[in-house]
Amino acid sequence: MSEHDEEIEGQVIEQELDPERETRRRFALAQIRQYPDAALKMAARPVELFDDELVKLAERMKQLMHEASGIGLAATQVGVLQRLFVFQPNDEDTVAVVNPEIVERSEETDVADEGCLSIQGVTVPVERSLEVTLVGKDEHGQDVRYELEGYFARCAQHEADHLDGVLMLDRTTAEARREALAVLRPRIVLQ
Ligand SMILES: [Zn+2]
């Protein structure tokens, strides 16, 4: 998920003030699969082996997420079909959640615009549960449990969807999807 509000507000200033940071952001985005890459539509497999490779993957994903100005990144977005994502469960931390499962969700929902590091340049309204409980393991195999709300709960739901090959475009209204595709399709042809 991308930090779209801050990014849009900060983009011009960021480009003028810090070209090096902007270069890093573009380089990071170039390593993230872009819609309509087939990997984005695939369901990831459960992680069975907690080894050094998994720790390295989690570290690389955290770094890419930060460099791309994102607030969450799923393994399918870097072409790895394993059930793992990184995200911020609060304002301070960035964590990896392996074999994540949303075990509780509030009936109360909220609609807000979402962005995605794999679907750049568009945002669409998505209805999400206001509160969720997320369980799984960290990259070292330790159990983790996060009680999330608002923005953090939204991000966890967006990233969990990625591991099932579900995109924000699949969760939005028919009208918003049509508008988003009108922006995305000409770009696909040009590439
Ligand atoms: Zn996304």
Short mmCIF file of all heavy atoms in Angstrom, two decimals, residues 13 51 109 154 178 190:
data_model
loop_
_atom_site.label_atom_id
_atom_site.label_comp_id
_atom_site.label_asym_id
_atom_site.label_seq_id
_atom_site.Cartn_x
_atom_site.Cartn_y
_atom_site.Cartn_z
N ILE A 13 7.82 18.78 -3.46
CA ILE A 13 8.87 19.27 -2.56
C ILE A 13 10.01 18.26 -2.49
O ILE A 13 11.17 18.62 -2.61
CB ILE A 13 8.28 19.49 -1.14
CG1 ILE A 13 7.23 20.59 -1.20
CG2 ILE A 13 9.39 19.88 -0.16
CD1 ILE A 13 6.35 20.67 0.02
N ASP A 51 14.11 -19.78 7.56
CA ASP A 51 15.58 -19.84 7.44
C ASP A 51 16.15 -18.44 7.16
O ASP A 51 15.43 -17.45 7.16
CB ASP A 51 15.96 -20.83 6.33
CG ASP A 51 15.36 -20.46 4.97
OD1 ASP A 51 14.70 -19.40 4.87
OD2 ASP A 51 15.55 -21.23 4.02
N THR A 109 -17.48 -0.84 9.36
CA THR A 109 -16.55 -0.61 8.26
C THR A 109 -16.43 0.87 7.96
O THR A 109 -17.15 1.71 8.53
CB THR A 109 -17.03 -1.32 6.97
OG1 THR A 109 -18.31 -0.80 6.62
CG2 THR A 109 -17.12 -2.83 7.17
N ARG A 154 -6.59 -1.08 7.93
CA ARG A 154 -6.81 -1.00 6.48
C ARG A 154 -5.60 -1.55 5.74
O ARG A 154 -5.71 -2.34 4.81
CB ARG A 154 -7.06 0.47 6.08
CG ARG A 154 -7.13 0.72 4.58
CD ARG A 154 -7.60 2.14 4.28
NE ARG A 154 -8.96 2.35 4.75
CZ ARG A 154 -10.07 1.99 4.08
NH1 ARG A 154 -9.97 1.45 2.89
NH2 ARG A 154 -11.26 2.19 4.60
N ARG A 178 -13.57 1.31 -13.27
CA ARG A 178 -13.57 1.75 -14.67
C ARG A 178 -12.67 2.97 -14.85
O ARG A 178 -11.86 3.04 -15.76
CB ARG A 178 -15.02 2.07 -15.07
CG ARG A 178 -15.30 1.89 -16.55
CD ARG A 178 -16.79 1.82 -16.87
NE ARG A 178 -17.60 2.76 -16.13
CZ ARG A 178 -18.63 2.41 -15.33
NH1 ARG A 178 -18.95 1.14 -15.20
NH2 ARG A 178 -19.33 3.32 -14.70
N LEU A 190 1.51 1.59 -23.84
CA LEU A 190 2.75 2.36 -24.09
C LEU A 190 4.00 1.62 -23.64
O LEU A 190 5.05 1.74 -24.23
CB LEU A 190 2.67 3.73 -23.39
CG LEU A 190 1.68 4.71 -24.01
CD1 LEU A 190 1.51 5.93 -23.14
CD2 LEU A 190 2.14 5.12 -25.42
#
